[in-house]
Amino acid sequence: MAMDLGSVMIKMGVLSASDDSDHMSVVSINLFVALLCACIVIGHLLEENRWMNESITALFIGLCTGVIILLTTKGRSPHLLVFSEELFFIYLLPPIIFNAGFQVKKKRFFRNFMTIMLFGAVGTLISFTIISLGAIGIIKKMDIGDLETGDYLAIGAIFSATDSVCTLQVLSQDETPLLYSLVFGEGVVNDATSIVLFKAIQNFDPGHADAVTVLKFVANFFYLFFTSTLLGAFAGLFSAYLIKKLYFGRHSTDREVALMILMAYLSYMLAELLDLSGILTVFFCGIVMSHYTWHNVTESSRVTTKHAFATLSFIAEIFLFLYVGMDALDIEKWKLASNSPGKSVAVSSILLGMVLIGRAAFVFPLSFLSNLSKKSPNEKITFKQQVIIWWAGLMRGAVSIALAYNKFARTGHTILRGNAIMITSTITIVLFSTVVFGLMTKPLIRFLMPPSAKHLSRDLSMSSEPPSPKSFLSPLLGNGQGSEVETGQNVPRPTSLRMLLTAPTRSVHHYWRKFDDAVMRPVFGGRGFVPFFPGSPAERSVHALQ
């Protein structure tokens, strides 16, 4: 009888704890939904503000909410404030990156592809090297805790991940198309490269490093990079072929939209399952879908998908900044680092200095190298534009925080002083760079590039698609398909080194366009190869000609 009574009480206790957990979940959801609405309204009211933007607004609202929660809970940190890397990588990041690829103006993106890859891949490696060496040479001697060489290498990857959202909100893709495409493209490739680097470091043992080990590390990095890209392209092509052959639009446009969303998310999760880079996979899946799949669906599905992807991305981004702002006041990790406040401030200052130096170490040299391949003065990166590109990459965001938690606190908190210092230093740098550098972004760009000095894009007439709703990362909207080679313009050949760098890029693009029209589009669909079935864009075009 006593045992029965005890078991009943245990069950009642479990149910009570479950009810409390469910209640907290409901409270958290209500709070975040209300805050999302507040961010949208306040962001709209501050649209014309000279200093503020929606990302900083969401961050401030998150911080204020965290303060209120701490005061009402008398200094305790509820689970509402704990940053969840699973929530970030599994639910928030995929729609943001996919929408960036889906909405990209491919002509402008691939015209500057070599420069973007220089900044995003090579530049990230340079920044990673400088930050890692600085951490090993300076921070390691400060005796902040039991950190190994692999941890300092991970620090280099963590702080190589940029967050150029604030700059993209200020720049105009119509008025400064070159600058916008470079900042946007570098940001996406940079995040992917940083995460690929981070994953490669996880499998790298610096204690037994030799020439063969280093070569394996480099080979693993490129394997992850290219395999992730190919997986994303395959997922996009498969969705295009499936929708083209099965004619989903005959019966239900909802099936078309659902299949596109699920195939995109499946590509990301499959990449994570295979330990690849989900960012690269879903980004190139978005590019391929916009080039083939999007043209195979009905006209109503086209409008729906563009608005749906942009809206999901918009909500995820606001939620992300709210989350970062609220997590910054998780009191537990600050208590662990408070025993060494001087060292914590010193570590943050050193890392921020390394970020500034590492960014400058590749932006200006690689810009000079890129300018050698440009024939037209309008295509060259001016010194003022280089300063803006350098500034755009100084801000750190949620990717850095997520990687820091992955490395130094897998369970959401840590009991080691060194790990706590690294996490609090990451949060400090993210807050400082987002708020201080973010607030100075608009005045800096207006000072360096006043409205009278901006030139309208020559590519406005090339855009073949209507713009989608505004998003933090709705870059390069439209999908211009034309090129100078296709329009029959005679492009004079540059000479010397510029000829070596420029000519292969244009000839590769030219042959790709021929291959695309002859082989890819007849199989996978796309503009000009839309399947004919009731309700399709092809049927409307036929009736329009009759």
Side-chain angles (χ1 to χ4, degrees), residues 13 22 118 121 144 148 245 303 308 331 365 375-376 407 449 509:
D22 292 340
L118 271 178
I144 63 172
E148 300 176 353
K245 289 298 181 183
V303 177
I331 205 69
K375 178 181 70 69
S376 171
K407 183 64 180 178
M449 304 185 69
H509 181 263

Side-chain angles (χ1 to χ4, degrees), residues 509-545:
H509 181 263
H510 172 69
Y511 287 119
W512 158 249
R513 295 293 299 171
K514 293 180 65 175
F515 175 76
D516 190 30
D517 292 337
V519 177
M520 299 296 288
R521 291 188 182 184
V523 175
F524 298 103
R527 194 174 69 166
F529 293 88
V530 179
F532 181 88
F533 57 89
S536 70
E539 183 192 44
R540 287 182 173 80
S541 63
V542 170
H543 286 301
L545 294 174

Side-chain angles (χ1 to χ4, degrees), residues 122-285:
V122 179
T124 302
L125 291 174
I126 295 174
S127 179
F128 159 76
T129 303
I130 291 177
I131 296 174
S132 298
L133 292 177
I136 294 174
I138 302 176
I139 298 178
K140 191 175 183 180
K141 298 178 181 179
M142 297 174 62
D143 188 28
I144 63 172
D146 188 18
L147 298 180
E148 300 176 353
T149 304
D151 296 326
Y152 294 107
L153 294 177
I155 291 172
I158 290 169
F159 289 101
S160 296
T162 64
D163 187 354
S164 54
V165 170
C166 290
T167 307
L168 288 174
Q169 288 178 346
V170 180
L171 292 175
S172 169
Q173 60 174 325
D174 294 331
E175 296 176 345
T176 55
L178 172 63
L179 188 57
Y180 195 99
S181 64
L182 291 179
V183 172
F184 160 71
E186 187 225 339
V188 175
V189 177
N190 167 275
D191 284 346
T193 305
S194 298
I195 294 177
V196 170
L197 259 178
F198 184 83
K199 289 185 175 182
I201 290 170
Q202 299 288 72
N203 302 321
F204 177 66
D205 184 9
H208 301 84
D210 53 22
V212 177
T213 308
V214 173
L215 287 177
K216 286 183 178 179
F217 173 79
V218 175
N220 186 40
F221 171 80
F222 284 105
Y223 166 78
L224 290 173
F225 200 93
F226 290 109
T227 308
S228 302
T229 302
L230 290 176
L231 178 60
F234 173 79
L237 291 174
F238 181 71
S239 69
Y241 184 81
L242 205 60
I243 290 178
K244 181 175 182 290
K245 289 298 181 183
L246 297 183
Y247 301 162
F248 286 92
R250 288 179 301 178
H251 307 298
S252 172
T253 58
D254 296 338
R255 290 189 177 95
E256 291 180 321
V257 178
L259 187 63
M260 290 183 68
I261 294 175
L262 293 175
M263 285 294 295
Y265 191 67
L266 178 63
S267 70
Y268 181 88
M269 294 308 300
L270 186 59
E272 293 297 315
L273 180 66
L274 299 175
D275 290 328
L276 302 176
S277 171
I279 286 185
L280 273 177
T281 297
V282 78
F283 176 70
F284 280 97
C285 178

Side-chain angles (χ1 to χ4, degrees), residues 35 57-67 321-323 325-326 329:
L35 291 175
T57 302
L59 195 63
F60 271 126
I61 291 178
L63 285 170
C64 294
T65 306
V67 171
F321 281 103
L322 273 174
Y323 212 55
M326 297 179 70
L329 295 175

